[in-house]
Amino acid sequence: MKFYDCKTAPSPRRVRIFLAEKGIDVDTVQVDLASGEQLGEGFRRINPDCVVPALELDDGSCLSEVLAICQYFEESHPEPPLMGRGVEERARVAMWNVKIEQQGLLPMADAFRNAAKGLKGRAVTGPDAYEQIPELAERGRQRVAKFFRRLDAQLAEHPFVAGDTFSMADISALVLVDFARWIKLEVPDDAAHLVRWYGEVSARPSAAA
């Protein structure tokens, strides 16, 4: 089994934190995104979408997408549970994880990829080239800033994003907050509940992954 990673990219970091929380060690291969290694024929055979993370299983087949890879490890290593216990908790973790992706991580990617000078002509991940749209960068920043307020309101009522226990939703939110610094966007000082939560989850050993 091999985990295809890039230490500087936010998506595979979500998997690394997940694995660290589970105490799972997997052979790791670093993919140099800066040089375009993900677009080469070698990596295309592993993941035709030309993105990390990817997980090559023992039989040579591959899984891609953060949630698919994490689900594989959740099923194969159920303790500690990071996707919820019981029907309702699993549904809440899934719900909040999707909200974080759709309202946080995707707008964040728009803000970063449509403004970074080194990504001209590569505004969208994957095998196809797309030009940057500056207006999407500004809209992305606005959406992320608003979503921080949404998270703060949720965390006013719960110790963790999806409820009473640390979960995949917290992993995704942690990566979002850290990724925000790439576009010079910080958690507002008056978002006290989000600040409290971030201090706690960023102190977990897995956050260094």
Side-chain angles (χ1 to χ4, degrees):
M1 185 180 293
K2 293 179 182 177
F3 174 59
Y4 290 86
D5 185 16
C6 176
K7 288 290 286 186
T8 60
S11 292
R13 185 182 173 216
R14 293 164 68 194
V15 178
R16 293 199 307 272
I17 295 173
F18 192 93
L19 293 174
E21 288 283 338
K22 293 276 189 183
I24 301 171
D25 291 321
V26 181
D27 287 342
T28 299
V29 178
Q30 292 296 320
V31 180
D32 187 354
L33 301 186
S35 70
E37 183 181 357
Q38 75 277 16
L39 302 173
E41 288 303 316
F43 189 74
R44 282 175 187 257
R45 287 193 291 271
I46 296 163
N47 183 6
D49 291 328
C50 302
V51 295
V52 289
L55 181 69
E56 184 177 3
L57 303 178
D58 291 338
D59 64 1
S61 64
C62 289
L63 294 173
S64 61
E65 307 302 333
V66 171
L67 263 294
I69 294 170
C70 290
Q71 186 68 51
Y72 174 88
F73 286 114
E74 181 81 350
E75 297 291 337
S76 60
H77 298 75
E79 294 295 332
L82 294 174
M83 293 186 169
R85 291 187 188 272
V87 174
E88 182 175 343
E89 188 175 296
R90 286 197 295 270
R92 291 190 184 282
V93 171
M95 176 184 74
W96 272 101
N97 197 71
V98 170
K99 290 181 188 299
I100 293 161
E101 289 185 337
Q102 293 181 345
Q103 300 177 39
L105 289 167
L106 289 177
M108 181 68 68
D110 272 346
F112 177 68
R113 298 192 67 91
N114 283 284
K117 293 180 180 179
L119 291 175
K120 288 184 178 180
R122 297 293 309 166
V124 179
T125 60
D128 301 313
Y130 292 94
E131 292 300 326
Q132 293 174 322
I133 302 174
E135 292 80 5
L136 288 181
E138 180 54 33
R139 186 182 73 178
R141 287 178 58 86
Q142 293 174 8
R143 292 183 65 197
V144 173
K146 287 184 178 180
F147 188 63
F148 280 169
R149 296 296 181 183
R150 178 84 183 274
L151 282 176
D152 186 57
Q154 171 68 2
L155 290 162
E157 300 181 3
H158 304 279
F160 296 100
V161 172
D164 294 332
T165 58
F166 182 87
S167 73
M168 184 68 203
D170 296 284
I171 294 172
S172 297
L174 171 63
V175 172
L176 168 65
V177 172
D178 286 341
F179 188 20
R181 296 194 181 100
W182 293 19
I183 60 168
K184 299 181 180 179
L185 191 64
E186 298 281 349
V187 171
D189 290 338
D190 62 349
H193 307 291
L194 183 54
V195 170
R196 181 271 306 165
W197 166 88
Y198 179 75
E200 293 174 0
V201 297
S202 62
R204 297 172 77 94
S206 64

